[in-house]
Amino acid sequence: MDTIAAWFDDVRRMNKRQLYYQVLNFGMIVSSALMIWKGLMVVTGSESPIVVVLSGSMEPAFQRGDLLFLTNYKEDPIRVGEIVVFKVKGREIPIVHRVIKLHEKDDGSIIFLTKGDNNSVDDRGLYAPGQLWLQKKDVVGRARGFLPYVGMVTIIMNDYPKFKYFVLASLGLFVLLHRE
């Protein structure tokens, strides 16, 4: 509690110019992160260029907490054996699974079926009611690389919301207290 009280004392002692400077610094950090994210979206062609593996369904290929780097170039054909990240109607969280079957229609469009490497059955039970196949429009991205376990921070913050608020508050205090 003493550190919080000391922080409020520091804020009270700041003149308006110093306070504006701190707020602008924080805004620059947030806007820089957003610009980097949007830039990655453009370069990779994916609405979500980075995702975290949230379950063990893709073990041994990927472990829970691995950070995946995705691309989603429209001209690249989807292939059997490729690991895709897809969204299903009615579910907000994307799913990371492998393409196991693929059918090309007469008009050139494709439909495909996915399955987690560690699952015993295909993903039809995960798809929207009445949906038996995925289409290219369902794909958020395709796995191109990964960093093991880096995404555990995200999983911990989702599993323990109080920890998330503690980390955010700590970062905010760090930015405000470490001024020049």
Side-chain angles (χ1 to χ4, degrees):
M1 281 306 234
D2 291 335
T3 58
I4 294 173
W7 176 77
F8 278 114
D9 287 340
D10 284 347
V11 170
R12 275 190 224 113
R13 276 188 255 125
M14 284 185 198
N15 63 35
K16 284 184 180 181
R17 183 182 209 136
Q18 290 172 320
L19 188 59
Y20 290 145
Y21 177 76
Q22 293 301 320
V23 169
L24 282 175
N25 268 345
F26 184 73
M28 295 272 293
I29 291 168
V30 170
S31 63
S32 295
L34 288 172
M35 286 189 308
I36 289 169
W37 184 258
K38 289 292 187 183
L40 281 172
M41 287 173 66
V42 169
V43 169
T44 64
S46 175
E47 69 183 64
S48 184
I50 300 170
V51 295
V52 175
V53 177
L54 298 176
S55 74
S57 67
M58 279 304 292
E59 291 177 1
F62 299 119
Q63 307 294 318
R64 187 171 191 250
D66 288 354
L67 187 71
L68 299 182
F69 300 101
L70 309 178
T71 63
N72 196 23
Y73 303 122
K74 300 300 177 198
E75 63 275 359
D76 287 349
I78 293 175
R79 305 258 187 243
V80 171
E82 185 173 31
I83 297 170
V84 295
V85 178
F86 60 92
K87 278 191 176 178
V88 176
K89 285 182 186 174
R91 293 180 181 248
E92 281 190 38
I93 298 173
I95 300 168
V96 180
H97 282 173
R98 190 178 304 274
V99 175
I100 60 168
K101 287 184 183 175
L102 185 125
H103 295 284
E104 189 169 348
K105 294 182 177 182
D106 292 335
D107 63 0
S109 64
I110 61 163
I111 56 173
F112 56 95
L113 181 64
T114 56
K115 177 183 165 298
D117 291 355
N118 200 23
N119 294 349
S120 56
V121 296
D122 63 43
D123 289 343
R124 285 189 172 135
L126 297 174
Y127 299 164
Q131 184 179 11
L132 299 176
W133 301 89
L134 292 175
Q135 298 174 1
K136 204 166 184 178
K137 69 176 176 63
D138 299 315
V139 175
V140 173
R142 303 160 196 204
R144 299 296 185 212
F146 75 102
L147 284 174
Y149 304 111
V150 173
M152 284 306 288
V153 173
T154 301
I155 291 173
I156 291 169
M157 284 201 249
N158 284 332
D159 290 351
Y160 305 101
K162 289 180 183 175
F163 180 72
K164 175 176 29 180
Y165 298 125
F166 172 76
V167 169
L168 290 173
S170 298
L171 286 173
L173 283 173
F174 179 79
V175 168
L176 286 173
L177 295 177
H178 286 84
R179 61 186 183 274
E180 294 178 22

